[in-house]
PDB file of all heavy atoms in Angstrom:
ATOM      1  N   GLU A1355       1.309  -3.776  27.342  1.00 97.00           N
ATOM      2  CA  GLU A1355       1.183  -2.372  27.738  1.00 97.00           C
ATOM      3  C   GLU A1355       2.310  -1.538  27.141  1.00 97.00           C
ATOM      4  O   GLU A1355       2.081  -0.406  26.689  1.00 97.00           O
ATOM      5  CB  GLU A1355       1.189  -2.258  29.272  1.00 97.00           C
ATOM      6  CG  GLU A1355      -0.022  -2.865  29.953  1.00 97.00           C
ATOM      7  CD  GLU A1355      -1.322  -2.182  29.550  1.00 97.00           C
ATOM      8  OE1 GLU A1355      -1.290  -0.985  29.203  1.00 97.00           O
ATOM      9  OE2 GLU A1355      -2.364  -2.857  29.570  1.00 97.00           O
ATOM     10  N   MET A1358       1.477  -1.000  23.351  1.00 98.00           N
ATOM     11  CA  MET A1358       0.395  -0.044  23.097  1.00 98.00           C
ATOM     12  C   MET A1358       0.807   1.374  23.467  1.00 98.00           C
ATOM     13  O   MET A1358       0.425   2.331  22.783  1.00 98.00           O
ATOM     14  CB  MET A1358      -0.860  -0.477  23.853  1.00 98.00           C
ATOM     15  CG  MET A1358      -1.492  -1.741  23.289  1.00 98.00           C
ATOM     16  SD  MET A1358      -3.203  -2.031  23.809  1.00 98.00           S
ATOM     17  CE  MET A1358      -2.975  -2.241  25.568  1.00 98.00           C
ATOM     18  N   GLU A1359       1.602   1.505  24.514  1.00 98.00           N
ATOM     19  CA  GLU A1359       2.099   2.831  24.878  1.00 98.00           C
ATOM     20  C   GLU A1359       3.038   3.370  23.800  1.00 98.00           C
ATOM     21  O   GLU A1359       3.006   4.553  23.452  1.00 98.00           O
ATOM     22  CB  GLU A1359       2.826   2.768  26.222  1.00 98.00           C
ATOM     23  CG  GLU A1359       3.332   4.121  26.702  1.00 98.00           C
ATOM     24  CD  GLU A1359       4.037   4.044  28.047  1.00 98.00           C
ATOM     25  OE1 GLU A1359       3.964   2.991  28.715  1.00 98.00           O
ATOM     26  OE2 GLU A1359       4.677   5.044  28.431  1.00 98.00           O
ATOM     27  N   GLY A1362       1.213   4.590  20.676  1.00 97.00           N
ATOM     28  CA  GLY A1362       0.750   5.939  20.940  1.00 97.00           C
ATOM     29  C   GLY A1362      -0.688   6.221  20.553  1.00 97.00           C
ATOM     30  O   GLY A1362      -1.392   5.382  19.998  1.00 97.00           O
ATOM     31  N   GLU A1363      -1.103   7.430  20.836  1.00 97.00           N
ATOM     32  CA  GLU A1363      -2.480   7.854  20.585  1.00 97.00           C
ATOM     33  C   GLU A1363      -2.788   7.968  19.087  1.00 97.00           C
ATOM     34  O   GLU A1363      -3.937   7.840  18.675  1.00 97.00           O
ATOM     35  CB  GLU A1363      -2.742   9.200  21.266  1.00 97.00           C
ATOM     36  CG  GLU A1363      -2.766   9.119  22.795  1.00 97.00           C
ATOM     37  CD  GLU A1363      -3.848   8.179  23.302  1.00 97.00           C
ATOM     38  OE1 GLU A1363      -4.978   8.224  22.770  1.00 97.00           O
ATOM     39  OE2 GLU A1363      -3.560   7.390  24.217  1.00 97.00           O
ATOM     40  N   ALA A1365      -2.195   5.916  16.837  1.00 98.00           N
ATOM     41  CA  ALA A1365      -2.645   4.627  16.299  1.00 98.00           C
ATOM     42  C   ALA A1365      -4.050   4.262  16.750  1.00 98.00           C
ATOM     43  O   ALA A1365      -4.677   3.371  16.161  1.00 98.00           O
ATOM     44  CB  ALA A1365      -1.673   3.523  16.711  1.00 98.00           C
ATOM     45  N   VAL A1366      -4.548   4.923  17.774  1.00 97.00           N
ATOM     46  CA  VAL A1366      -5.886   4.619  18.285  1.00 97.00           C
ATOM     47  C   VAL A1366      -6.929   4.916  17.207  1.00 97.00           C
ATOM     48  O   VAL A1366      -6.903   5.972  16.576  1.00 97.00           O
ATOM     49  CB  VAL A1366      -6.181   5.428  19.564  1.00 97.00           C
ATOM     50  CG1 VAL A1366      -7.629   5.227  20.003  1.00 97.00           C
ATOM     51  CG2 VAL A1366      -5.214   5.028  20.673  1.00 97.00           C
ATOM     52  N   GLY A1367      -7.825   3.955  16.982  1.00 97.00           N
ATOM     53  CA  GLY A1367      -8.849   4.112  15.960  1.00 97.00           C
ATOM     54  C   GLY A1367      -8.366   3.794  14.561  1.00 97.00           C
ATOM     55  O   GLY A1367      -9.110   3.956  13.585  1.00 97.00           O
ATOM     56  N   ASP A1368      -7.136   3.340  14.430  1.00 98.00           N
ATOM     57  CA  ASP A1368      -6.556   3.013  13.127  1.00 98.00           C
ATOM     58  C   ASP A1368      -6.301   1.505  13.042  1.00 98.00           C
ATOM     59  O   ASP A1368      -6.537   0.768  14.002  1.00 98.00           O
ATOM     60  CB  ASP A1368      -5.256   3.788  12.915  1.00 98.00           C
ATOM     61  CG  ASP A1368      -4.980   4.101  11.450  1.00 98.00           C
ATOM     62  OD1 ASP A1368      -5.484   3.365  10.579  1.00 98.00           O
ATOM     63  OD2 ASP A1368      -4.257   5.086  11.179  1.00 98.00           O
ATOM     64  N   GLU A1383      -4.754  -9.566  22.543  1.00 97.00           N
ATOM     65  CA  GLU A1383      -4.636  -8.480  23.529  1.00 97.00           C
ATOM     66  C   GLU A1383      -4.965  -7.131  22.893  1.00 97.00           C
ATOM     67  O   GLU A1383      -5.689  -6.318  23.475  1.00 97.00           O
ATOM     68  CB  GLU A1383      -3.225  -8.457  24.126  1.00 97.00           C
ATOM     69  CG  GLU A1383      -2.858  -9.668  24.953  1.00 97.00           C
ATOM     70  CD  GLU A1383      -3.610  -9.735  26.271  1.00 97.00           C
ATOM     71  OE1 GLU A1383      -4.199  -8.719  26.691  1.00 97.00           O
ATOM     72  OE2 GLU A1383      -3.617 -10.814  26.898  1.00 97.00           O
ATOM     73  N   PHE A1384      -4.451  -6.892  21.700  1.00 98.00           N
ATOM     74  CA  PHE A1384      -4.729  -5.628  21.004  1.00 98.00           C
ATOM     75  C   PHE A1384      -6.218  -5.506  20.685  1.00 98.00           C
ATOM     76  O   PHE A1384      -6.821  -4.436  20.859  1.00 98.00           O
ATOM     77  CB  PHE A1384      -3.914  -5.541  19.709  1.00 98.00           C
ATOM     78  CG  PHE A1384      -2.430  -5.439  19.903  1.00 98.00           C
ATOM     79  CD1 PHE A1384      -1.550  -6.004  18.985  1.00 98.00           C
ATOM     80  CD2 PHE A1384      -1.903  -4.768  20.993  1.00 98.00           C
ATOM     81  CE1 PHE A1384      -0.180  -5.910  19.160  1.00 98.00           C
ATOM     82  CE2 PHE A1384      -0.527  -4.662  21.178  1.00 98.00           C
ATOM     83  CZ  PHE A1384       0.340  -5.246  20.244  1.00 98.00           C
ATOM     84  N   ALA A1385      -6.819  -6.596  20.211  1.00 97.00           N
ATOM     85  CA  ALA A1385      -8.247  -6.564  19.859  1.00 97.00           C
ATOM     86  C   ALA A1385      -9.105  -6.374  21.098  1.00 97.00           C
ATOM     87  O   ALA A1385     -10.092  -5.627  21.088  1.00 97.00           O
ATOM     88  CB  ALA A1385      -8.628  -7.859  19.143  1.00 97.00           C
ATOM     89  N   ARG A1386      -8.734  -7.029  22.173  1.00 96.00           N
ATOM     90  CA  ARG A1386      -9.495  -6.951  23.423  1.00 96.00           C
ATOM     91  C   ARG A1386      -9.448  -5.555  24.032  1.00 96.00           C
ATOM     92  O   ARG A1386     -10.372  -5.144  24.750  1.00 96.00           O
ATOM     93  CB  ARG A1386      -8.934  -7.982  24.408  1.00 96.00           C
ATOM     94  CG  ARG A1386      -9.887  -8.426  25.492  1.00 96.00           C
ATOM     95  CD  ARG A1386      -9.231  -9.445  26.402  1.00 96.00           C
ATOM     96  NE  ARG A1386      -9.122 -10.750  25.774  1.00 96.00           N
ATOM     97  CZ  ARG A1386      -7.989 -11.411  25.584  1.00 96.00           C
ATOM     98  NH1 ARG A1386      -6.829 -10.870  25.954  1.00 96.00           N
ATOM     99  NH2 ARG A1386      -7.983 -12.589  25.024  1.00 96.00           N
ATOM    100  N   SER A1387      -8.382  -4.820  23.739  1.00 96.00           N
ATOM    101  CA  SER A1387      -8.242  -3.474  24.320  1.00 96.00           C
ATOM    102  C   SER A1387      -9.293  -2.508  23.783  1.00 96.00           C
ATOM    103  O   SER A1387      -9.628  -1.523  24.450  1.00 96.00           O
ATOM    104  CB  SER A1387      -6.846  -2.914  24.023  1.00 96.00           C
ATOM    105  OG  SER A1387      -6.728  -2.533  22.656  1.00 96.00           O
ATOM    106  N   GLY A1388      -9.795  -2.757  22.579  1.00 96.00           N
ATOM    107  CA  GLY A1388     -10.791  -1.875  21.973  1.00 96.00           C
ATOM    108  C   GLY A1388     -10.237  -0.568  21.437  1.00 96.00           C
ATOM    109  O   GLY A1388     -11.000   0.306  21.019  1.00 96.00           O
ATOM    110  N   LYS A1389      -8.921  -0.439  21.417  1.00 97.00           N
ATOM    111  CA  LYS A1389      -8.319   0.830  20.997  1.00 97.00           C
ATOM    112  C   LYS A1389      -8.234   1.001  19.476  1.00 97.00           C
ATOM    113  O   LYS A1389      -8.176   2.127  18.983  1.00 97.00           O
ATOM    114  CB  LYS A1389      -6.899   0.956  21.573  1.00 97.00           C
ATOM    115  CG  LYS A1389      -6.853   1.242  23.059  1.00 97.00           C
ATOM    116  CD  LYS A1389      -5.425   1.564  23.481  1.00 97.00           C
ATOM    117  CE  LYS A1389      -5.365   2.041  24.924  1.00 97.00           C
ATOM    118  NZ  LYS A1389      -3.993   2.472  25.308  1.00 97.00           N
ATOM    119  N   TYR A1390      -8.232  -0.115  18.761  1.00 98.00           N
ATOM    120  CA  TYR A1390      -7.891  -0.045  17.349  1.00 98.00           C
ATOM    121  C   TYR A1390      -9.076  -0.456  16.474  1.00 98.00           C
ATOM    122  O   TYR A1390      -9.866  -1.314  16.843  1.00 98.00           O
ATOM    123  CB  TYR A1390      -6.671  -0.928  17.064  1.00 98.00           C
ATOM    124  CG  TYR A1390      -5.533  -0.633  18.013  1.00 98.00           C
ATOM    125  CD1 TYR A1390      -5.212  -1.515  19.057  1.00 98.00           C
ATOM    126  CD2 TYR A1390      -4.810   0.550  17.917  1.00 98.00           C
ATOM    127  CE1 TYR A1390      -4.199  -1.229  19.953  1.00 98.00           C
ATOM    128  CE2 TYR A1390      -3.790   0.849  18.807  1.00 98.00           C
ATOM    129  CZ  TYR A1390      -3.485  -0.042  19.839  1.00 98.00           C
ATOM    130  OH  TYR A1390      -2.491   0.257  20.725  1.00 98.00           O
ATOM    131  N   ASP A1391      -9.145   0.175  15.303  1.00 97.00           N
ATOM    132  CA  ASP A1391     -10.230  -0.147  14.374  1.00 97.00           C
ATOM    133  C   ASP A1391     -10.078  -1.561  13.824  1.00 97.00           C
ATOM    134  O   ASP A1391     -11.064  -2.225  13.501  1.00 97.00           O
ATOM    135  CB  ASP A1391     -10.243   0.861  13.222  1.00 97.00           C
ATOM    136  CG  ASP A1391     -11.421   0.637  12.288  1.00 97.00           C
ATOM    137  OD1 ASP A1391     -12.542   0.445  12.791  1.00 97.00           O
ATOM    138  OD2 ASP A1391     -11.216   0.636  11.064  1.00 97.00           O
ATOM    139  N   GLY A1392      -8.847  -2.015  13.716  1.00 97.00           N
ATOM    140  CA  GLY A1392      -8.607  -3.373  13.246  1.00 97.00           C
ATOM    141  C   GLY A1392      -7.175  -3.786  13.477  1.00 97.00           C
ATOM    142  O   GLY A1392      -6.268  -2.945  13.552  1.00 97.00           O
ATOM    143  N   ILE A1393      -6.978  -5.103  13.607  1.00 98.00           N
ATOM    144  CA  ILE A1393      -5.642  -5.658  13.787  1.00 98.00           C
ATOM    145  C   ILE A1393      -5.408  -6.695  12.711  1.00 98.00           C
ATOM    146  O   ILE A1393      -6.230  -7.602  12.530  1.00 98.00           O
ATOM    147  CB  ILE A1393      -5.456  -6.310  15.177  1.00 98.00           C
ATOM    148  CG1 ILE A1393      -5.631  -5.273  16.281  1.00 98.00           C
ATOM    149  CG2 ILE A1393      -4.079  -6.956  15.291  1.00 98.00           C
ATOM    150  CD1 ILE A1393      -7.012  -5.196  16.852  1.00 98.00           C
ATOM    151  N   LYS A1420     -12.702  -7.461  14.589  1.00 96.00           N
ATOM    152  CA  LYS A1420     -11.563  -6.546  14.690  1.00 96.00           C
ATOM    153  C   LYS A1420     -10.271  -7.157  14.158  1.00 96.00           C
ATOM    154  O   LYS A1420      -9.217  -6.509  14.187  1.00 96.00           O
ATOM    155  CB  LYS A1420     -11.340  -6.144  16.158  1.00 96.00           C
ATOM    156  CG  LYS A1420     -12.445  -5.298  16.752  1.00 96.00           C
ATOM    157  CD  LYS A1420     -12.480  -3.906  16.145  1.00 96.00           C
ATOM    158  CE  LYS A1420     -13.488  -3.007  16.837  1.00 96.00           C
ATOM    159  NZ  LYS A1420     -13.531  -1.664  16.228  1.00 96.00           N
TER     160      LYS A1420
END
Side-chain angles (χ1 to χ4, degrees):
E1355 293 298 332
M1358 290 197 296
E1359 182 179 349
E1363 291 300 317
V1366 174
D1368 210 335
E1383 294 290 345
F1384 293 147
R1386 203 180 285 122
S1387 73
K1389 287 189 172 185
Y1390 309 106
D1391 185 45
I1393 298 94
K1420 293 291 186 181

